[in-house]
Structure formats: structure tokens, C-alpha cells
């Protein structure tokens, strides 16, 4: 019995891990992500996410070059100057001022050279000016609340019911039969493409982190603090983008996915108008009901 439970828990974990790996590779269609691409970070669908990717690749190749030089010199020295070949240790290198200056100066130059593009990207990443839409995101155990501050629209976004039912041990539902298992929500965040969207990220209970790799956004949601982030999705890339809470926030940390529905500006405006009307009517209905009693 215990063994059967362990096996089903392991199967659940394997399915969840595979699905999460695919989703976090940043491609809304998991069938397009395969092979070596799964090992690298996604290029994403915003200008900023591509700049982060380019920076990551630049630093990666600098590291590869350093590794080749350092390990090459080490291996060459070990092979050619081994004791069995009669090599005698050269003691003139010990406390050699010229050598010490060189091996201090070279890493300093490399680090400064890497800091320049890194700082430039970081400054741009933090620039939340000239945004056109502001959305407040509040993380809670276990889900997200989205609030369109200037339009008076807000709603909760939680793990979709089918995933929630299938994740229970002994539920009798095969997770493989649930589409986007553990990656779907009931109400996705809807945003327009080609618009600089500002996010105000906070939390209601413990620390969470709003992470959507395709946008190059990962921001901690801390109770009592408001963190800022922004993204601007390419105009030609509407679609569904997925993410996860990236801060170990408690028992159901793994069950608070993020889904962003990126729509054209017109579609978004229509959706927002409808949603605002719906919520206004619901609020009016709620207020009217006690009065009628
Ligand atoms: Cu969380």
C-alpha cells in the first residue's frame, strides 16, 4: 500500500516536473520546446527578455573562454611537467611580483568589462517610467489577485479545478488526462501586447514571487512592500504565457501557477470594458440585495 502510494506520488512528481520544465522554457506550445533548448533560458517575447538572454549568453561565453584557458593551462602543465618525466618544481614563480600583478589585473579587467553591459541591462530593467497600464499583483496562500488600478477591475486567479482535483492523492484521476496539469488557472491575467505594463507586486501573507520567464520578469511579492516590474510584449506575439510562484511559500507553493493571456490592444480594451461593467453590476446587485430585504 505504502509502496503503491510512493509510486503514484513519484509518477505525479515526474509529470509535474516535466510539465513545469516545458512551461518554464517559455514557449506556450510545449511541443515546440525540445532537446538542448530545454537546458537554456528562454529568449522570451519581450525586448527586455531578449536583452537578458543576450547578456546571459555573453557572460556564458566569457566563462567558457576563461574555463578553456585555465583548464587548458592546467592540463598542459600536468601532462608535460610531471614528475615521471623528470620535471623539477620552478620556485622562481613564488612571490613573483610581476606574475601577481598580472593575475590580479586580468580578472579585474574581465569583471569590469562584464559589469558594464550587466549594469546597463539592470538599469533598463528597473525603469518603470512611461508605462501605459498598471496592474497590482498580490500573492497569497495559494494564488494571485490581480487589480487593474485605474479601471477598478480585480479578480482572483487560482489553480484550475481539474488540476486541483487530480493532484489529491487517491483522487483516482490520472494527471496525464488533465490538460496543462498544474499549469492552468481559473482566471488568467489578461494584458495587451505592444503596451508597457507596470506591475506593482506585493503579498498578503508570506513572501511569494511572480515569475513569467517569457517576459523576463521575476519579482518577489513581500508583505508590507510594493515591488515594481514591467514588461512590453511584442505586438506580433499574443498568446498564453505561463509561470509559477518562485518563492518557497508553504505547503501548496507548487500549486499556484500563473497564466497570462496576451491579447491585441482592441481585444484587451473590449475585455476590460466588459469586465468593468460585469463587476460594477455585481457590486450594485450585492449592495441592492440587503436593501431589498
Ligand atoms: Cu507562493
Amino acid at each position: 500500500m505504502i509502496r503503491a502510494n510512493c509510486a503514484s506520488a513519484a509518477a505525479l512528481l515526474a509529470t509535474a516536473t516535466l510539465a513545469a520544465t516545458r512551461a518554464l522554457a517559455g514557449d506556450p506550445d510545449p511541443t515546440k520546446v525540445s532537446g538542448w533548448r530545454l537546458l537554456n533560458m528562454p529568449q522570451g517575447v519581450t525586448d527586455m527578455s531578449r536583452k537578458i538572454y543576450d547578456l546571459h549568453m555573453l557572460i556564458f561565453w566569457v566563462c567558457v573562454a576563461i574555463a578553456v584557458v585555465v583548464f587548458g593551462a592546467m592540463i598542459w602543465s600536468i601532462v608535460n611537467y610531471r614528475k615521471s618525466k623528470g620535471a623539477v618544481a620552478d620556485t622562481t614563480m613564488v612571490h613573483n611580483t610581476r606574475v601577481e600583478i598580472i593575475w590580479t589585473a586580468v580578472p579585474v579587467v574581465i569583471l569590469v568589462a562584464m559589469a558594464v553591459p550587466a549594469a546597463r541591462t539592470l538599469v533598463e530593467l528597473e525603469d518603470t517610467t512611461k508605462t501605459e497600464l498598471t496592474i497590482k499583483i498580490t500573492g497569497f496562500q495559494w494564488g494571485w489577485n490581480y487589480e487593474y488600478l485605474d479601471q477598478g477591475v480585480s479578480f482572483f486567479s487560482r489553480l484550475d479545478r481539474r488540476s486541483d482535483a487530480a493532484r489529491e492523492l487517491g483522487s483516482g484521476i490520472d494527471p496525464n488526462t488533465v490538460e496543462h496539469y498544474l499549469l492552468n488557472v481559473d482566471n488568467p491575467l489578461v494584458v495587451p501586447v505592444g503596451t508597457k505594463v507596470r506591475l506593482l507586486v506585493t503579498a498578503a501573507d508570506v513572501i511569494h514571487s511572480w515569475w513569467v520567464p517569457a517576459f523576463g520578469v521575476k519579482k518577489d511579492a513581500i508583505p508590507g512592500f510594493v515591488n515594481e516590474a514591467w514588461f512590453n510584449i511584442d505586438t506580433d506575439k499574443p498568446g498564453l504565457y505561463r509561470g509559477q510562484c518562485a518563492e518557497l511559500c508553504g505547503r501548496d507553493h507548487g500549486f499556484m501557477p500563473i497564466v497570462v493571456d496576451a491579447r491585441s490592444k482592441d481585444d484587451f480594451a473590449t475585455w476590460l470594458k466588459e469586465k468593468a461593467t460585469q463587476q460594477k453590476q455585481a457590486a450594485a446587485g450585492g449592495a441592492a440585495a440587503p436593501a431589498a430585504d
Side-chain angles (χ1 to χ4, degrees):
M1 181 64 188
I2 292 172
R3 199 181 296 163
N5 271 345
C6 285
S8 66
L12 277 176
L13 188 67
T15 316
T17 311
L18 182 66
T21 314
R22 280 174 175 168
L24 299 187
D27 197 312
D29 181 359
T31 54
K32 286 187 199 159
V33 183
S34 60
W36 291 100
R37 267 192 66 193
L38 276 173
L39 296 177
N40 204 352
M41 68 185 289
Q43 277 175 280
V45 292
T46 68
D47 196 36
M48 204 62 234
S49 70
R50 282 186 294 272
K51 281 181 183 163
I52 295 170
Y53 177 85
D54 291 344
L55 179 67
H56 153 74
M57 291 314 293
L58 174 74
I59 305 294
F60 172 77
W61 287 117
V62 170
C63 293
V64 168
I66 293 171
V68 167
V69 171
V70 171
F71 286 108
M74 269 174 64
I75 293 164
W76 180 77
S77 310
I78 290 167
V79 171
N80 289 298
Y81 297 96
R82 59 188 191 270
K83 202 175 176 185
S84 61
K85 271 185 123 184
V88 180
D90 178 4
T91 51
T92 57
M93 288 271 274
V94 179
H95 297 299
N96 183 307
T97 309
R98 193 186 297 166
V99 172
E100 290 203 359
I101 288 173
I102 291 171
W103 72 37
T104 304
V106 170
V108 167
V109 171
I110 294 171
L111 284 176
V112 170
M114 292 202 299
V116 173
R120 199 183 294 141
T121 308
L122 211 56
V123 167
E124 208 176 325
L125 196 65
E126 296 295 323
D127 176 21
T128 49
T129 57
K130 293 183 188 153
T131 48
E132 297 152 79
L133 176 73
T134 301
I135 300 170
K136 182 180 161 200
I137 301 176
T138 309
F140 63 91
Q141 289 173 320
W142 278 270
W144 303 95
N145 179 263
Y146 298 117
E147 201 177 336
Y148 297 72
L149 286 185
D150 299 323
Q151 290 77 18
V153 168
S154 76
F155 57 88
F156 288 94
S157 178
R158 297 168 195 266
L159 183 65
D160 78 311
R161 297 288 144 228
R162 275 175 56 75
S163 284
D164 204 23
R167 80 180 169 104
E168 301 289 337
L169 267 185
S171 68
I173 305 169
D174 178 6
N176 291 307
T177 62
V178 180
E179 207 188 356
H180 300 299
Y181 177 58
L182 298 186
L183 299 172
N184 248 358
V185 295
D186 49 5
N187 301 307
L189 171 67
V190 181
V191 294
V193 295
T195 306
K196 189 169 178 181
V197 181
R198 179 169 70 139
L199 305 174
L200 300 176
V201 187
T202 187
D205 37 40
V206 299
I207 303 178
H208 301 271
S209 186
W210 199 85
W211 179 34
V212 177
F215 301 168
V217 173
K218 185 197 254 178
K219 207 54 152 178
D220 275 4
I222 306 169
F225 288 84
V226 176
N227 282 335
E228 273 187 308
W230 67 273
F231 61 79
N232 189 345
I233 305 166
D234 296 347
T235 316
D236 60 340
K237 302 237 174 53
L240 283 184
Y241 298 99
R242 295 176 196 279
Q244 299 272 355
C245 173
E247 182 68 51
L248 195 51
C249 58
R251 192 193 65 194
D252 283 1
H253 158 67
F255 305 106
M256 46 185 295
I258 297 160
V259 179
V260 182
D261 180 358
R263 301 185 183 184
S264 70
K265 285 187 184 191
D266 288 347
D267 284 0
F268 171 76
T270 313
W271 172 86
L272 193 61
K273 218 172 171 186
E274 269 172 28
K275 197 84 182 165
T277 315
Q278 258 176 31
Q279 295 202 338
K280 233 174 246 167
Q281 280 169 355
D293 288 346

